[in-house]
Amino acid sequence: MKPVTLKEIAEKLDISITTVSKALKDYKDVSPKTKALVKELATTLNYRPNAFAVNLRTKESKTIGLIIPEVVHHFFSSVIKGILNQAEKKGYLVIILQSNESYELEKKQIELLLNKNVDGVLISLANETADFKHINKFLSNDKPLVMFDKIAKLVNCSKVIIDDRKAAYTATKHLIETGCKNIAHFRGPLLPQNSIDRFLGYKKALEDYNLKYDPSLVFICENTSFEDGSKFAAEIVKNHPNVDGIFINTDMVAIGAITQLRSLGIDVPNQISVVGFSNWFMSSAITPSLTTINQPGYEMGKESFKRLYKELNAIKKKKPLSTKTITLETSLVKRNSTKNN
Amino acid sequence: MKPVTLKEIAEKLDISITTVSKALKDYKDVSPKTKALVKELATTLNYRPNAFAVNLRTKESKTIGLIIPEVVHHFFSSVIKGILNQAEKKGYLVIILQSNESYELEKKQIELLLNKNVDGVLISLANETADFKHINKFLSNDKPLVMFDKIAKLVNCSKVIIDDRKAAYTATKHLIETGCKNIAHFRGPLLPQNSIDRFLGYKKALEDYNLKYDPSLVFICENTSFEDGSKFAAEIVKNHPNVDGIFINTDMVAIGAITQLRSLGIDVPNQISVVGFSNWFMSSAITPSLTTINQPGYEMGKESFKRLYKELNAIKKKKPLSTKTITLETSLVKRNSTKNN
DNA sequence: CTGAAAGCGCTTACAG
DNA sequence: CTGAAAGCGCTTACAG
């Protein structure tokens, strides 16, 4: 079946292409009679405007790009869901790309999206990314880009984040207030801003409550995986018997740690208390259920798209819009992996 | 910064647009000297072909649509990952849409993709979908569509699936062979082919091994959620004390069931054995670890894209290609929620 | 109220 | 080896 064009409708009705186009778009300078005729035939023939031609004329495609470090990840899939729901409402389509935490891939993907001529981009940076030329290159095309979760402070664009430092402070403080004296930290990789901030929040809490900060109690989880948690929990038990609390970068790692601790016969929370980060749904399902920081993924996706949408419209109207950083609220969810205070 | 066009390059070099276009595409009827000149300037000016114009001329966009019932789902995110990796290799971009298990949304999204003029579509049907006119409409545009996981047997298109009936049979047989006599089944919703097939495999195994099929031991999980599992496990304990095995449609539900059983003081596997389905990574992390059917999500995504890609190329070359159903292998992963035999 | 014309930025068959 | 021209299917400023 060959697609129907304006030309075809025009010929059948013996009027001009111009009039057909206008009739379909409800221009007021077309007679109601013509409009009705055109619309009827368009429906009958199942007319569908050729998106490629429309894009070329209007210079926009109502399509945005989304670059995510890792799709198979509960937090990020919640973000995706939030973005998709919002995009749907506003009539935008989303091209999804996974950077696999690789800087090279991320760079290539930004290039792909630039070539594709998307209207804007939503991105959460790869752990490896330490250079932002590719991002600035995208921005220099006068197209909006919004970063979320894993952002670069140095890039001048809008951002949607949580206050990782504050959240980590709250988590660590909770451990301190429930009686922990020797608190370890399983942190994320070195580069991402959010693992840096969580580490700093942890450190600050120790200082504020006069607990000694001991670098040997900080473990770097390269993959933020179940196995990382399991491995370091075993190491804690073996080499740091005085540790009585652990603040862990991510729930997945925390669950690995708790599983290991229990299999080593450690009482959680009485011998060692654990606080996670993200409030993954599994954290309420395990035993003991995990005390954690609620990180609003769905909402982050929603807000990121909303912000991008605003900038998209501002650019269309040639009204400049300064960049904005939106900080979403987090909260401590107390469960059974920490003691009651 | 206004985008650079062929025209601009042509003017600067004082040659024709045609020659510039050909030079950039390495046509052999352009002199090496001209080619070098054009390419150099293109690089300097950071020339990027306007994708909208190219699409309009070539009538393809190297973009496919992907409709998924639910993004926040481990199995589906693995499928997405498989699709993205493969698409990346072949230079295709993926527009992702979430149907939310809603037939109406799915229908609307097919329409959106048709309007967008994507080259092809990958889809896993919503649970609600019982009518396939929208799918056939898409197919009638001579564009390929491949279904995966949740398919419709009646639609004439390629499909990538597992043998759900056989896998369920294997799972149930394992329960029987490890001594279970009264086996319940927590099944998925009524419509999707795969929950029907898993149910049929369960039933067939009971028959083949001369165990009575008791409809009151089949529970329908509308949301295939942790809560469903928890709820029905409690019901089993309360109302069906003779049940000694459960075959469960999905790992998530199975984990909900195991958590509930343990909190009710039931010994898993000795009082009640449990087999799940999907081999979600959490199933090896819980206690007891879950015996389950390994369902290859990543591979399913990969194969689905590969098949679509083949059909895309066949259509381009006007070589017809008959539809094909690809069945991926599953396997039983024995862990500690069932007894050793 | 209707339509001829220009143009978005490219590709390619054809002429020279 | 180079280029004029047509055309992909739309939109819209402009003339009548």
Side-chain angles (χ1 to χ4, degrees):
Chain A
M1 237 172 48
K2 259 193 79 178
V4 182
T5 62
L6 288 184
K7 194 175 158 199
E8 223 173 304
I9 296 179
E11 278 167 3
K12 290 216 164 117
L13 255 29
D14 207 24
I15 56 177
S16 75
I17 294 176
T18 306
T19 304
V20 175
S21 174
K22 285 184 183 167
L24 288 174
K25 305 187 80 192
D26 256 332
Y27 271 48
K28 43 181 163 293
D29 63 349
V30 177
S31 74
K33 220 173 95 189
T34 311
K35 270 188 197 172
L37 238 43
V38 170
K39 285 184 181 173
E40 201 199 319
L41 186 58
T43 310
T44 313
L45 297 180
N46 203 1
Y47 172 72
R48 202 186 294 288
N50 181 316
F52 300 155
V54 175
N55 292 344
L56 179 58
R57 275 296 317 221
T58 62
K59 294 186 185 301
E60 61 165 13
S61 59
K62 295 268 185 188
T63 304
I64 62 157
L66 166 63
I67 301 180
I68 288 266
E70 170 64 59
V71 171
V72 188
H73 190 298
H74 184 262
F75 173 71
F76 282 128
S77 39
S78 305
V79 176
I80 296 175
K81 187 167 178 166
I83 292 171
L84 293 183
N85 276 330
Q86 214 53 33
E88 168 113 46
K89 277 190 194 146
K90 302 298 188 182
Y92 273 80
L93 255 20
V94 179
I95 289 176
I96 187 171
L97 259 6
Q98 175 178 264
S99 68
N100 254 316
E101 302 284 10
S102 149
Y103 165 65
E104 285 305 327
L105 238 188
E106 180 181 293
K107 209 165 116 182
K108 201 176 131 198
Q109 291 173 337
I110 283 280
E111 203 63 33
L112 279 173
L113 291 175
L114 225 30
N115 287 341
K116 179 72 182 177
N117 235 334
V118 292
D119 299 346
V121 159
L122 253 23
I123 186 172
S124 190
L125 298 173
N127 282 341
E128 277 182 32
T129 302
D131 175 297
F132 312 112
K133 281 198 214 77
H134 57 309
I135 307 288
N136 287 320
K137 183 175 178 185
F138 184 89
L139 256 4
S140 77
N141 285 272
D142 290 322
K143 295 200 171 188
L145 175 147
V146 174
M147 287 188 183
F148 60 89
D149 194 50
K150 299 207 288 185
I151 62 151
K153 288 195 173 160
L154 292 174
V155 177
N156 181 30
C157 65
S158 289
K159 290 151 201 160
V160 181
I161 50 171
I162 56 171
D163 189 335
D164 282 287
R165 200 184 293 213
K166 187 174 142 199
Y169 186 94
T170 304
T172 310
K173 188 176 144 219
H174 174 64
L175 285 170
I176 298 170
E177 288 177 346
T178 55
C180 299
K181 303 283 181 206
N182 295 289
I183 303 174
H185 176 37
F186 295 178
R187 61 164 289 170
L190 288 175
L191 282 177
Q193 193 62 51
N194 57 4
S195 66
I196 295 172
D197 284 336
R198 289 179 201 174
F199 163 69
L200 292 174
Y202 153 80
K203 204 172 154 193
K204 185 70 163 48
L206 296 186
E207 283 164 9
D208 285 2
Y209 287 82
N210 298 312
L211 292 181
K212 198 181 100 230
Y213 162 63
D214 177 357
S216 74
L217 294 185
V218 175
F219 299 82
I220 300 178
C221 304
E222 284 303 340
N223 310 306
T224 43
S225 64
F226 186 89
E227 287 71 27
D228 279 337
S230 175
K231 182 177 67 184
F232 292 133
E235 201 168 322
I236 290 272
V237 172
K238 195 172 164 209
N239 301 325
H240 304 276
N242 59 336
V243 164
D244 52 8
I246 319 176
F247 164 52
I248 302 182
N249 192 58
T250 307
D251 280 359
M252 176 67 81
V253 181
I255 291 178
I258 287 183
T259 305
Q260 178 67 277
L261 291 175
R262 294 188 76 215
S263 80
L264 292 174
I266 304 290
D267 178 347
V268 178
N270 294 312
Q271 283 177 269
I272 301 183
S273 295
V274 175
V275 180
F277 203 111
S278 64
N279 197 23
W280 182 32
F281 63 88
M282 276 307 294
S283 60
S284 62
I286 58 157
T287 313
S289 58
L290 181 67
T291 294
T292 189
I293 296 289
N294 183 57
Q295 190 186 196
Y298 182 84
E299 202 192 345
M300 186 173 278
K302 219 172 118 177
E303 292 304 319
S304 301
F305 182 84
K306 275 188 173 171
R307 178 65 198 172
L308 187 69
Y309 183 72
K310 260 191 196 159
E311 299 193 0
L312 246 14
N313 286 329
I315 287 177
K316 237 188 284 185
K317 288 176 197 146
K318 313 245 177 211
K319 281 185 200 159
L321 203 57
S322 53
T323 64
K324 190 177 163 188
T325 295
I326 298 166
T327 306
L328 302 179
E329 283 305 313
T330 54
S331 57
L332 178 72
V333 183
K334 293 183 195 173
R335 295 208 186 92
N336 300 323
S337 66
T338 51
K339 291 169 274 183
N340 296 319
N341 56 338
Chain B
M1 238 175 46
K2 257 192 81 180
V4 182
T5 62
L6 289 184
K7 195 175 159 199
E8 223 172 306
I9 297 179
E11 279 166 3
K12 291 217 161 116
L13 255 29
D14 205 24
I15 56 175
S16 75
I17 292 175
T18 306
T19 304
V20 175
S21 174
K22 283 182 184 171
L24 288 173
K25 306 187 79 192
D26 256 333
Y27 272 49
K28 45 180 162 290
D29 63 350
V30 176
S31 74
K33 221 174 92 187
T34 311
K35 270 188 199 173
L37 239 43
V38 170
K39 284 183 183 175
E40 201 199 317
L41 186 58
T43 311
T44 314
L45 297 179
N46 203 0
Y47 171 72
R48 203 185 292 289
N50 180 314
F52 300 155
V54 175
N55 292 345
L56 180 58
R57 275 296 316 219
T58 61
K59 295 187 185 300
E60 61 164 11
S61 58
K62 294 270 184 186
T63 303
I64 63 157
L66 166 63
I67 301 180
I68 288 266
E70 170 64 62
V71 171
V72 189
H73 190 297
H74 184 261
F75 173 71
F76 282 128
S77 38
S78 305
V79 176
I80 296 174
K81 187 168 178 168
I83 292 170
L84 293 182
N85 275 329
Q86 214 53 33
E88 169 114 48
K89 278 191 194 146
K90 302 297 187 182
Y92 274 78
L93 255 22
V94 179
I95 289 177
I96 187 172
L97 259 8
Q98 174 178 267
S99 67
N100 255 315
E101 303 283 9
S102 149
Y103 165 65
E104 284 306 327
L105 239 190
E106 180 180 293
K107 207 165 118 182
K108 200 175 132 199
Q109 292 174 335
I110 283 281
E111 203 65 32
L112 280 173
L113 291 175
L114 227 28
N115 288 340
K116 179 71 182 174
N117 235 335
V118 291
D119 298 345
V121 158
L122 253 23
I123 186 172
S124 190
L125 298 173
N127 283 340
E128 275 182 33
T129 302
D131 176 296
F132 313 111
K133 280 197 214 75
H134 57 309
I135 306 289
N136 286 320
K137 182 175 178 185
F138 184 89
L139 255 3
S140 76
N141 285 271
D142 290 322
K143 294 199 170 189
L145 176 148
V146 174
M147 288 188 181
F148 59 90
D149 194 50
K150 300 209 284 183
I151 62 151
K153 289 195 173 162
L154 293 174
V155 177
N156 181 29
C157 67
S158 288
K159 290 151 201 162
V160 181
I161 51 171
I162 56 169
D163 189 335
D164 283 286
R165 200 186 291 211
K166 187 175 139 198
Y169 186 94
T170 305
T172 311
K173 188 174 145 222
H174 174 63
L175 285 170
I176 297 171
E177 288 177 346
T178 55
C180 299
K181 303 285 183 204
N182 294 287
I183 303 173
H185 176 38
F186 295 178
R187 60 165 289 170
L190 289 175
L191 282 178
Q193 192 62 51
N194 57 4
S195 67
I196 294 172
D197 284 335
R198 289 179 200 174
F199 164 68
L200 291 175
Y202 154 79
K203 204 172 156 195
K204 184 70 165 43
L206 296 186
E207 283 165 9
D208 284 2
Y209 287 81
N210 298 312
L211 291 182
K212 199 180 97 228
Y213 162 62
D214 177 357
S216 74
L217 294 185
V218 175
F219 299 82
I220 300 178
C221 303
E222 284 303 340
N223 311 309
T224 43
S225 64
F226 187 89
E227 287 70 28
D228 279 337
S230 175
K231 182 176 69 184
F232 292 133
E235 202 168 320
I236 290 273
V237 172
K238 195 173 165 207
N239 300 326
H240 304 276
N242 60 335
V243 164
D244 53 7
I246 319 178
F247 165 51
I248 302 181
N249 191 61
T250 307
D251 280 359
M252 175 68 80
V253 181
I255 291 177
I258 287 183
T259 306
Q260 178 68 277
L261 291 175
R262 293 188 77 216
S263 81
L264 291 174
I266 304 290
D267 177 348
V268 178
N270 294 312
Q271 284 176 268
I272 299 184
S273 295
V274 176
V275 180
F277 203 112
S278 64
N279 197 23
W280 182 32
F281 62 90
M282 276 306 294
S283 59
S284 62
I286 58 157
T287 313
S289 58
L290 181 66
T291 294
T292 189
I293 295 290
N294 183 56
Q295 193 187 193
Y298 182 83
E299 201 193 346
M300 186 174 278
K302 217 172 121 179
E303 292 304 320
S304 300
F305 182 84
K306 275 188 174 174
R307 179 64 200 172
L308 188 70
Y309 183 73
K310 261 191 196 160
E311 300 194 0
L312 246 15
N313 286 329
I315 288 177
K316 237 188 280 183
K317 288 177 198 148
K318 312 250 178 207
K319 279 186 201 160
L321 204 57
S322 53
T323 63
K324 190 177 162 188
T325 294
I326 298 166
T327 306
L328 302 179
E329 284 304 312
T330 54
S331 57
L332 178 71
V333 183
K334 292 183 195 176
R335 295 207 185 91
N336 301 323
S337 66
T338 50
K339 291 170 275 186
N340 296 317
N341 56 336

